[in-house]
Amino acid sequence: LTTGVISALGRQVEGAGGVTIRDMIQTDAAINPGNSGGPLLDSSGRLIGMNTMIFSRSGQSAGIGFAVPASTVARVVPQIIRTGRAEQVGMGINIDPTGRVERRLGIRGVVILGVKPDGPAARAGIRPIEPRGDEIALGDVIVAIDDKPVPDYAELYNLLDGKKPGEKVNVTVQRGRDKVTFPVDLALLDGT
């Protein structure tokens, strides 16, 4: 057991795969090796977060600690108990989370590489890239979800995080020179 001060709420931290994790709790309480996943408690013993990572310039356990808020834990843990994994919703599209295509073409947004037949995106009319002979024609590029800008995969991931299957979002795509918005019913990703 250690003590510390919560110095910030709503922090953004880069997580695995370059995805920005939002709404983290920042603390100076020591998070030693093996403490990840342990509780962050307030002075009354109430759970306020789950210790997750530490940012340390020295490589030691001293530094700034980050915890996932209890509200996120309360949402995700029952999913893990029920299904063995955190549930994620999606649109039935294939994208490159590393953003190689977007960087190569200088595009802000998320290029749609493929659309699952009969998936939510296909039903909405969203188009993927398309082979044309020896070339590939750019399809739709997601640039906003519910009027919130989507400059990259991390932002797309975070905007969909916490949504439920069947929930409708308005997906704005860049299609050639035009921006087009489609209502899309989100579906539970099947893990493939």
Side-chain angles (χ1 to χ4, degrees), residues 5-145:
V5 174
I6 291 177
S7 51
L9 299 173
R11 289 297 308 270
Q12 295 185 25
V13 181
E14 186 173 327
V19 172
T20 301
I21 304 169
R22 294 184 174 185
D23 297 328
M24 297 288 278
I25 301 168
Q26 179 179 305
T27 180
D28 68 352
I31 300 178
N32 299 309
N35 288 148
S36 292
L40 180 65
L41 307 171
D42 68 11
S43 59
S44 298
R46 291 180 298 243
L47 177 70
I48 57 174
M50 180 182 72
N51 295 320
T52 304
M53 65 180 71
I54 189 164
F55 175 75
S56 173
R57 293 189 192 278
S58 67
Q60 303 297 316
S61 297
I64 301 170
F66 295 95
V68 173
S71 58
T72 302
V73 173
R75 177 175 53 84
V76 174
V77 168
Q79 297 171 2
I80 294 171
I81 291 169
R82 189 174 58 251
T83 66
R85 62 185 177 93
E87 296 174 350
Q88 289 182 290
V89 295
M91 296 178 261
I93 59 174
N94 296 327
I95 59 174
D96 177 6
T98 65
R100 289 179 294 218
V101 174
E102 291 84 350
R103 280 193 308 277
R104 186 172 187 183
L105 298 175
I107 293 174
R108 283 184 55 84
V110 176
V111 172
I112 299 175
L113 301 176
V115 175
K116 185 176 181 180
D118 299 322
R123 286 192 298 273
I126 294 175
R127 300 178 191 160
I129 61 172
E130 196 177 310
R132 291 191 181 155
D134 293 340
E135 297 180 358
I136 295 177
L138 188 62
D140 292 335
V141 177
I142 298 173
V143 294
I145 299 284

